[in-house]
Amino acid sequence: MRIWHQSFTVLDDVPHYRDALHRHFAAQVGAGTTIDLHGMAAGTYPSDYPGTHIGYAYLAGLHREQFVHAALRAQDEGYDTFLIGTIPDTGFEEVRTLVDIPVVAFGQTSVLMAAQLGDCVGIVNFIGALVPQLRRNFRNYRLEALVGPIVQVEAGFTDVMAAYADPMPLLDAFASAARRAIAEGATVIVPGEGPLNVFLADQGMVEVDGVPVLDSLGTCARVAELRGAQHRASGIRPSRVGFYGARPPRELVDAARSFYGVPESLA
């Protein structure tokens, strides 16, 4: 089985994260499954990292096209599952209407699986600008009743990258943020962004004060494997009813993307 993982980062710009992600995914799936890592196109971010763009609705939406392009490639190239590896689930609703292979979204899947461990999901991340997107997504998924506090680690993207060499400051900062979420009612914690999640899993952090900390991306990898097997066995696919389900003919999709000048080499 082959799973296409799509990151919101330019993975070659963050080799510590890329290598940890590869190592972690390899430990989560079965011997017959491969997860191929894909990042955003080189040069996507003129600023220092994706968090600068995530805070703006237009820029976040513009980058969605790379996820669409990647999903179409994944299906064309015979992948079994497409895994959106960013917690705002960039492009999820659009992608799900375009391909028949399963699409697994980090944010949605993490909350659904975390709800089996506790009845109030707290999210701990390090990009505050994500909060409005996450709240809106969970309302659209009708999962808002499951999601409680969303709190921020007192660390930035560069701090998370540096933590691979010096882990204790980030471990302490995460535990402190998790305790704030627990004080606000969280009974299970989802680490927000992929780099933070993989770092914590690498360090073996599975709970804070008795409250479980979900390995979000590891869980998504296992769900992607399961969904791929289901699709192979039965052909089950998303609903094709209504505006958020109907699948447009591929020729219309290709023609529209061509009109807007989307290059075939994208991502």
Side-chain angles (χ1 to χ4, degrees), residues 2-5 38 67-83 94-103 231 235-238 240 247-250 253-254:
R2 298 165 67 216
I3 298 170
W4 179 302
H5 161 268
H38 298 84
F67 285 78
V68 170
H69 184 85
L72 292 170
R73 274 190 57 194
Q75 178 154 282
D76 290 349
E77 294 177 16
Y79 280 84
D80 294 283
T81 313
F82 183 73
L83 171 56
E94 293 83 357
V95 164
R96 192 171 53 178
T97 70
L98 296 177
V99 298
D100 284 335
I101 60 173
V103 179
H231 182 67
I236 191 168
R237 62 186 187 182
R240 294 298 180 220
R247 180 181 176 183
R250 179 61 181 268
V253 174
D254 290 344

Side-chain angles (χ1 to χ4, degrees), residues 18-266:
R18 179 199 60 209
D19 295 346
L21 195 59
H22 186 273
R23 192 168 59 243
H24 188 53
F25 277 152
Q28 297 301 309
V29 295
T33 297
T34 60
I35 300 183
D36 293 332
L37 305 183
H38 298 84
M40 303 293 272
T44 292
Y45 307 112
S47 54
D48 57 352
Y49 77 109
T52 304
H53 290 225
I54 284 173
Y56 301 98
Y58 175 69
L59 293 177
L62 190 65
H63 294 314
R64 181 185 302 127
E65 181 56 38
Q66 293 201 41
F67 285 78
V68 170
H69 184 85
L72 292 170
R73 274 190 57 194
Q75 178 154 282
D76 290 349
E77 294 177 16
Y79 280 84
D80 294 283
T81 313
F82 183 73
L83 171 56
I84 298 174
T86 182
I87 197 169
D89 297 345
T90 304
F92 175 48
E93 290 183 319
E94 293 83 357
V95 164
R96 192 171 53 178
T97 70
L98 296 177
V99 298
D100 284 335
I101 60 173
V103 179
V104 174
F106 182 145
Q108 184 194 57
T109 301
S110 296
V111 168
L112 286 169
M113 298 302 288
Q116 298 186 45
L117 303 175
D119 60 3
C120 180
V121 180
I123 296 174
V124 176
N125 65 343
F126 62 87
I127 302 177
L130 281 175
V131 175
Q133 294 181 61
L134 299 183
R135 292 292 187 195
R136 176 178 283 188
N137 285 352
F138 297 134
R139 286 196 301 271
N140 290 346
Y141 302 154
R142 302 187 183 183
L143 297 178
E144 68 269 29
L146 291 173
V147 180
I150 302 178
V151 303
Q152 312 305 308
V153 175
E154 292 183 4
F157 186 78
T158 54
D159 298 313
V160 175
M161 293 299 104
Y164 285 98
D166 182 17
M168 284 312 301
L170 184 57
L171 289 173
D172 290 343
F174 176 81
S176 177
R179 289 186 178 106
R180 295 200 306 273
I182 293 166
E184 294 178 34
T187 57
V188 55
I189 299 294
V190 166
E193 297 88 2
L196 177 63
N197 169 207
V198 173
F199 165 77
L200 294 170
D202 230 23
Q203 295 296 316
M205 180 170 279
V206 295
E207 69 171 21
V208 173
D209 298 344
V211 172
V213 175
L214 184 74
D215 172 7
S216 309
L217 278 174
T219 298
C220 288
R222 292 173 181 267
V223 170
E225 192 173 33
L226 171 64
R227 293 278 313 282
Q230 286 180 322
H231 182 67
R232 275 188 178 184
S234 68
I236 191 168
R237 62 186 187 182
S239 172
R240 294 298 180 220
V241 176
F243 180 79
Y244 289 102
R247 180 181 176 183
R250 179 61 181 268
E251 58 268 23
L252 293 185
V253 174
D254 290 344
R257 296 176 76 241
S258 176
F259 176 81
Y260 283 103
V262 178
E264 284 300 315
S265 62
L266 188 63

